[in-house]
């Protein structure tokens, strides 16, 4: 399994962009990068995923470096409700079937302040 | 329009007294997962079902078992809870062959007295 490394905590001012980095230097060519977040006392929530190209959805943007050894999750206009633990996960195929197990690391605690 | 439902949200059990946590889903997903999350730790996968096929993680204690009687429901049984089993238990689902994103329920917080 490819290991991910994230800073333990980050701060961001409300209304500013939050840029959360993740290192995954041992990622394999067919492994995707997934981002989830977990707001206090709730279940994790899927944010976005990507393989090689940059991705954007209504929640965030995902920038993956060309060598795929790192990525950045961007929340373009952070709000107080974005305060959460953000997990960067490399998807592991479960025995060759068409779905993946998730191995959560420690994540980054993002605190958005007024 | 709840998608993954976990009952109860809070469960208190006594040391050694069997307890069952339940999960149901309205997404018709064929994969269901159970995670354990202890305080200030990341979620840890215990096992998962792909349709009716049960897949246990290598380090999941024998004290933890699961049942999936149909597509919609999945149960987590803890045969003899110890104090170390106090945690949040999270159920998740996914549909094989799609984007592989998992949908999580709100969790059941288990207290062992």
């Amino acid at each position: 399994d490819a290991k991910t490394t994230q800073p333990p905590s980050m701060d961001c001012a409300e209304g500013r962009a939050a840029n959360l980095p993740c290192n995954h230097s041992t990622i394999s060519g067919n492994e995707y990068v997934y981002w989830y977040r977990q707001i206090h006392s709730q279940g994790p929530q899927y944010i976005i995923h990507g393989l090689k190209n940059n991705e954007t959805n209504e929640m965030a943007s995902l920038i993956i470096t060309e060598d795929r050894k790192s990525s950045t999750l961007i929340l373009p206009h952070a709000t107080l409700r974005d305060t959460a633990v953000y997990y960067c996960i490399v998807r592991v195929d479960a025995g060759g079937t068409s779905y993946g197990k998730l191995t959560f690391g420690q994540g980054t605690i993002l605190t958005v302040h007024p | 329009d709840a998608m993954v439902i976990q009952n109860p949200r809070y469960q208190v059990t006594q040391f050694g007294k069997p307890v069952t946590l339940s999960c149901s889903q309205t997404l018709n997903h064929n994969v269901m997962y159970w995670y354990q999350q202890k305080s200030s730790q990341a979620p840890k996968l215990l096992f998962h079902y792909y349709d009716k096929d049960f897949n246990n993680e290598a380090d999941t204690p024998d004290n933890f078992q699961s049942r999936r009687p149909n597509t919609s429901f999945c149960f987590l049984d803890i045969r003899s809870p110890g104090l170390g089993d106090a945690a949040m238990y999270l159920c998740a689902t996914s549909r094989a062959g799609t984007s592989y994103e998992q949908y999580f329920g709100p969790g059941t917080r288990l207290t062992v007295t």
Side-chain angles (χ1 to χ4, degrees):
Chain A
D1 300 356
K3 182 179 171 61
T4 61
T5 304
Q6 300 177 251
S9 64
M10 294 183 65
D11 287 337
C12 179
E14 189 176 20
R16 305 295 296 269
N19 297 282
L20 293 96
C22 179
N23 287 317
H24 31 77
S25 58
T26 61
I27 192 170
S28 301
N30 61 350
E31 288 182 311
Y32 288 75
V33 179
Y34 277 74
W35 283 84
Y36 282 76
R37 73 179 182 183
Q38 187 173 22
I39 296 169
H40 182 64
S41 295
Q42 297 182 21
Q45 176 190 24
Y46 165 82
I47 301 173
I48 198 168
H49 73 280
L51 182 64
K52 295 181 182 179
N53 300 320
N54 298 337
E55 303 287 344
T56 296
N57 63 20
E58 65 278 4
M59 289 183 66
S61 295
L62 174 60
I63 309 298
I64 302 175
T65 58
E66 191 169 345
D67 63 8
R68 302 208 328 121
K69 292 184 177 182
S70 65
S71 61
T72 301
L73 178 75
I74 301 172
L75 307 178
H77 306 287
T79 71
L80 299 179
R81 288 175 294 181
D82 291 323
T83 293
V85 181
Y86 286 78
Y87 295 102
C88 168
I89 301 165
V90 172
R91 184 182 70 89
V92 177
D93 280 322
T97 53
S98 57
Y99 68 96
K101 299 190 293 185
L102 298 177
T103 300
F104 288 83
Q106 290 308 303
T108 296
I109 300 172
L110 174 69
T111 303
V112 181
H113 52 85
Chain B
D1 56 345
M3 295 186 290
V4 182
I5 303 159
Q6 291 189 244
N7 286 309
R9 293 293 310 278
Y10 300 90
Q11 176 75 57
V12 180
T13 191
Q14 293 178 337
F15 182 94
K17 183 175 181 180
V19 65
T20 295
L21 309 181
S22 71
C23 176
S24 63
Q25 53 133 339
T26 60
L27 298 164
N28 203 33
H29 284 172
N30 49 1
V31 190
M32 294 187 76
Y33 311 78
W34 279 104
Y35 291 82
Q36 179 192 62
Q37 186 174 26
K38 296 186 177 181
S39 180
S40 301
Q41 296 185 18
K44 181 177 180 297
L45 183 64
L46 294 173
F47 28 59
H48 71 274
Y49 275 93
Y50 179 88
D51 289 328
K52 294 184 178 181
D53 293 332
F54 177 71
N55 298 270
N56 202 26
E57 293 301 298
D59 55 356
T60 298
D62 293 340
N63 198 26
F64 291 86
Q65 298 181 338
S66 186
R67 296 169 284 135
R68 189 179 185 186
N70 54 53
T71 301
S72 300
F73 285 87
C74 195
F75 300 98
L76 170 62
D77 300 310
I78 309 177
R79 291 191 298 182
S80 181
L83 297 179
D85 296 327
M88 175 76 86
Y89 289 88
L90 296 159
C91 174
T93 73
S94 70
R95 183 188 299 279
T98 61
S99 68
Y100 317 127
E101 69 181 86
Q102 293 186 15
Y103 293 79
F104 283 80
T108 294
R109 183 166 298 282
L110 178 69
T111 301
V112 182
T113 62

